[in-house]
């Protein structure tokens, strides 16, 4: 690269090119079909975990553009929060995910040299949704930063880095499946092994099977966001102490993931519903706070309105529930759940993981 090209490249990164570069990213949220919880430590290191999930057409978005005033601005539009810091004095940010990703990239990929930028986000689902929204947001932030700074990272790298920032750097409780679902997209059987080994196995299905499964799923926001950390801490405590009830339930959840993969590949919706019900029973055995009277009532309403099976998506305690229903009964199920005060709707799968692109705006 000659001197002029190098200057031009650096100018773009620092937002001084006149026609300022904006980079955008979106990462899909996911439904956990089976195996959730087995991606938690120490279970996955001791026994190996396996989950089956699919990404849906709800997204976490991240946008970054350069500034020329020496400040870093973090904005979460959906939360109504905006913060401005000098680039060398980012302290006590309310937007921990924004700050965590920014600090990590400055330290690891810019030799500690900060840069001025505006980083804006929004998410299509509320926090505590059970759709992996927080982790999808970290994936979007990592991927937009990767593209903006031209850091050579593939989807495995993006997912692992998002996990490191969220779970290790920032200390937020949780497993690993959400980051890999958001980075890769589609329907995946994901294995979590000792030594941070992760294997993402995309499931290839005909359009006929995908259409049938998609048309048989209804998602429902319970109206309650939940704090997953308490549930995850209880599950982790059971794993570490070797509590038989917890470990046996996780073994069953892992077996359910294998069976769900078989049912999916065969397009057997009735078997999927049966496995979903088994998984819900096992999930409730991993921690007391997984369910509550409100979730149990919605589950019963769903079954009475024609659902073949259902369970909560994510750690539990609130957020989204999912149901499998004969397509002919889907409208009746959605109507019944909405009448009970929930927010139910069909769902659409998305085959792509996190995407980034550039937009030009006048600066």
């Amino acid at each position: 690269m000659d001197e002029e090209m190098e200057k031009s490249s650096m100018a773009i990164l620092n937002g001084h090119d006149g026609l300022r570069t904006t980079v955008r990213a979106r990462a899909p949220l996911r439904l956990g079909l089976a195996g959730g919880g087995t991606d938690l430590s120490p279970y996955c290191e001791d026994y190996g975990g396996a989950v089956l999930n699919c990404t849906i057409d709800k997204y976490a978005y991240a946008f970054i553009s350069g500034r020329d005033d020496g400040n870093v601005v973090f904005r979460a539009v959906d939360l109504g929060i905006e913060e401005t810091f000098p680039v060398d004095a980012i302290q006590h940010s309310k937007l921990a995910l924004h700050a965590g990703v920014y600090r990590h990239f400055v330290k690891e990929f810019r030799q500690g040299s900060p840069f001025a930028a505006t980083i804006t986000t929004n998410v299509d689902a509320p926090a505590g949704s059970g759709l992996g929204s927080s982790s999808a947001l970290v994936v979007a932030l990592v991927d937009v930063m990767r593209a903006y700074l031209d850091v050579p990272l593939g989807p495995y790298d993006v997912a692992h880095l998002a996990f490191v920032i969220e779970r290790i750097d920032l200390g937020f409780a949780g497993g690993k499946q959400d980051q890999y679902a958001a980075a890769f997209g589609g329907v995946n059987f994901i294995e979590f092994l000792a030594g941070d080994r992760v294997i993402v196995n995309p499931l290839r299905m005909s359009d006929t099977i995908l259409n049938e499964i998609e048309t048989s799923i209804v998602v429902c926001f319970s109206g309650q966001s939940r704090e997953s950390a308490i549930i995850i801490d209880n599950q982790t405590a059971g794993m570490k102490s070797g509590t038989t009830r917890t470990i046996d339930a996780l073994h069953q959840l892992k077996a359910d993931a294998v069976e769900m993969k078989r049912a999916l590949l065969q397009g057997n919706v009735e078997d999927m519903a049966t496995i979903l019900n088994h998984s819900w029973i096992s999930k409730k055995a991993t921690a007391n706070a997984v369910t509550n009277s409100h979730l149990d009532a919605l589950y019963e309403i769903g079954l009475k309105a024609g659902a073949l099976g259902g369970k909560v998506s994510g750690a539990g305690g609130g957020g989204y529930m999912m149901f499998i229903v004969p397509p002919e009964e889907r409208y009746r199920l959605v109507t019944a759940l909405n009448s009970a005060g929930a927010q139910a709707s069909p769902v659409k799968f998305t085959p792509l993981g996190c995407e980034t692109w550039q937009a030009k705006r006048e600066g």
Side-chain angles (χ1 to χ4, degrees), residues 43-85:
Y43 182 86
C44 59
E45 284 84 8
D46 294 342
Y47 303 102
V51 305
L52 186 62
N53 57 39
C54 60
T55 50
I56 59 176
D57 61 342
K58 294 181 182 292
Y59 295 90
Y61 298 87
F63 317 127
I64 183 170
S65 56
R67 301 178 64 90
D68 55 12
D69 60 0
N71 289 326
V72 175
V73 176
F74 299 143
R75 301 176 67 233
V77 179
D78 49 335
L79 302 180
I81 298 175
E82 179 171 327
E83 303 174 313
T84 301
F85 303 95

Side-chain angles (χ1 to χ4, degrees), residues 3 16 19 45 59 63 93-94 108 123 131 169 203 207 221 230 233 241 245 258 261-262 292 298 302 306 362:
E3 185 176 351
H16 295 295
L19 193 62
E45 284 84 8
Y59 295 90
F63 317 127
S93 173
K94 296 177 183 178
E108 296 296 329
V123 185
L131 301 178
D169 292 359
L203 300 190
D207 288 344
F221 182 57
I230 297 172
D233 286 345
S241 65
R245 182 172 183 261
V258 175
K261 179 176 73 168
R262 174 195 58 78
N292 54 48
L298 284 178
E362 295 297 333

